[in-house]
Amino acid sequence: MKKILAMALALCMVFTLCAVASADDVKTYKVGVSIYQFTDNFMTLYRNEIENYFKSLETDTVKYEITMADGKNDMAEQTNQVQNFITQGMDVIILNLVQTSSADAVIDMVVDAGIPLVLINREPLAYDADGNTIDEAYEGILNNPTVCYVGADARQSGTFQGQMVLALDNKGDLNGDGKVSYIMIEGDPENIDAQYRTEFSVKALTDAGVEVEELFDQVGNWDQTKGQELCASALTQFGDKVEVVFCNNDAMALGAATAITAAGRTVGEDIYLYGVDALEEAVQLIKEGEMSGTVLNDAVGQSHAAVDVAVQLLNGEEIQNYYWVDYVMVDKAYAEANY
Ligand code: GAL
């Protein structure tokens, strides 16, 4: 009996020791994430997936403590958040800048604090000697081995929008007057995604020799209500002349779809409507014929790439400065086959 008791006691001690040892072995990394604005539909999918994916990578010995901050579309507020992340001793920071023009200042702050940085979704731009933006990798990122950008090349999304118009039998020229008359509803103009989508959607048409006429080009700031208002006012102003509605994202396209129905127009019959992102609601409208197409902005692929590189940085591994995730064209056939 004594022997059994002694053995039980010994076992207990071993278990206790193991438990203490494993508690000591758990490494918790502190991750600071700041998103330019929580109310943005697409960035909501993106930030939720950052959290889910970090959780899925946790093991018995590695944990991630994530602090998610809302930049509220205010650069001063976001700069404060980054400052707080530094004070709190974050191990890595993931940042969706409110203003890419502030990239240099923020990168310097974070690099000086010795914290690795993953920039997402809003690509900081390179400038030429005259201060104009150019299609070149950004020095603030290239010069820093612990800083990178994860994103998608917005030129591709614009080109896909234009190619979907080209794939129509009438190439978008509904009234047969020899040109495609379009309205453009833009995202935040400081954002390269808005600039490139605006440019490359139309460029795809003109490169293919299609004549175009811009009836209206206004900024809806990625916002559904604004998209609806702008589309409604363009339809009032230009009526049947409007053949194609290009929206820089799906939130604004969802608004435009409402305005199109309210104006008594019918997508696919007397007007075409394109967005970007492939939000669930937009894909549903494409299946029902109320939107002509969208482009998948891969929130899952991009968030996973951002988290993967953050983990590499936490492990002290070498990283690339740029990571690119492809867009995918989503027309009706693709929507029906894949969603
Ligand atoms: C774009 C996306 C928009 C909006 C924007 C924010 O990539 O298509 O819906 O989320 O990013 O920067």
Side-chain angles (χ1 to χ4, degrees):
M1 188 64 186
K2 259 191 183 167
K3 249 190 185 168
I4 293 177
L5 264 180
M7 266 174 70
L9 203 66
L11 267 176
C12 272
M13 280 174 69
V14 169
F15 279 135
T16 317
L17 276 177
C18 285
V20 170
S22 67
D24 281 348
D25 284 349
V26 175
K27 171 77 193 158
T28 302
Y29 290 106
K30 294 207 266 182
V31 183
V33 185
S34 174
I35 300 296
Y36 95 93
Q37 173 155 258
F38 273 9
T39 53
D40 182 291
N41 306 37
F42 172 73
M43 287 314 300
T44 300
L45 297 176
Y46 198 134
R47 77 182 142 91
N48 289 340
E49 194 53 32
I50 288 180
E51 289 203 282
N52 293 339
Y53 188 54
F54 260 122
K55 286 289 152 209
S56 78
L57 296 180
E58 285 190 336
T59 63
D60 289 344
T61 52
V62 177
K63 306 284 176 203
Y64 301 102
E65 187 184 295
I66 298 155
T67 305
M68 190 66 77
D70 181 0
K72 299 188 183 138
N73 209 17
D74 177 345
M75 194 59 232
E77 166 98 24
Q78 189 173 51
T79 304
N80 274 337
Q81 289 167 357
V82 174
Q83 196 56 63
N84 287 340
F85 286 165
I86 292 171
T87 315
Q88 289 157 13
M90 293 297 171
D91 295 302
V92 66
I93 293 175
I94 299 180
L95 190 59
N96 171 211
L97 282 167
V98 171
Q99 275 171 9
T100 47
S101 52
S102 299
D104 268 333
V106 179
I107 290 173
D108 283 351
M109 259 167 71
V110 178
V111 169
D112 287 350
I115 302 173
L117 175 65
V118 181
L119 296 163
I120 57 167
N121 171 256
R122 292 186 160 185
E123 186 190 350
L125 300 170
Y127 297 93
D128 66 13
D130 302 323
N132 299 314
T133 55
I134 45 172
D135 293 344
E136 263 175 32
Y138 184 64
E139 284 195 12
I141 293 176
L142 284 183
N143 288 341
N144 288 297
T146 57
V147 177
C148 68
Y149 173 72
V150 175
D153 180 352
R155 287 169 286 202
Q156 194 186 29
S157 53
T159 303
F160 283 162
Q161 282 190 316
Q163 284 176 352
M164 284 188 276
V165 178
L166 290 174
L168 298 165
D169 288 342
N170 59 18
K171 293 193 166 55
D173 182 12
L174 274 161
N175 56 21
D177 66 353
K179 58 182 190 239
V180 173
S181 304
Y182 69 89
I183 69 167
M184 183 68 69
I185 302 181
E186 293 194 32
D188 179 348
E190 207 235 12
N191 193 182
I192 190 70
D193 288 4
Q195 295 168 28
Y196 277 156
R197 287 174 193 165
T198 299
E199 183 187 344
F200 282 78
S201 51
V202 175
K203 189 173 181 300
L205 297 179
T206 52
D207 281 356
V210 171
E211 204 185 313
V212 296
E213 177 191 25
E214 180 193 286
L215 297 171
F216 176 103
D217 181 350
Q218 289 207 23
V219 171
N221 271 327
W222 304 122
D223 181 72
Q224 182 161 347
T225 311
K226 209 77 185 92
Q228 182 175 341
E229 283 166 14
L230 291 177
C231 186
S233 91
L235 291 175
T236 306
Q237 206 178 336
F238 299 102
D240 290 348
K241 274 192 173 170
V242 182
E243 296 172 306
V244 174
V245 179
F246 284 120
C247 296
N248 283 171
N249 77 343
D250 278 351
M252 297 188 295
L254 292 173
T258 310
I260 286 171
T261 310
R265 303 284 292 271
T266 309
V267 168
E269 284 178 26
D270 58 26
I271 197 162
Y272 299 110
L273 170 62
Y274 298 91
V276 175
D277 282 339
L279 297 181
E280 220 175 288
E281 305 92 304
V283 173
Q284 194 52 38
L285 288 190
I286 292 169
K287 284 186 181 170
E288 289 162 5
E290 286 178 43
M291 260 180 76
S292 313
T294 187
V295 180
L296 170 67
N297 191 5
D298 186 357
V300 173
Q302 289 174 69
S303 54
H304 289 200
V307 171
D308 284 340
V309 69
V311 170
Q312 279 175 267
L313 284 161
L314 289 171
N315 293 336
E317 290 167 34
E318 235 177 75
I319 56 150
Q320 293 165 213
N321 287 122
Y322 282 89
Y323 294 86
W324 299 108
V325 175
D326 270 334
Y327 284 101
V328 180
M329 191 189 285
V330 181
D331 56 13
K332 195 168 188 198
Y334 186 90
E336 277 164 355
N338 293 280
Y339 289 90

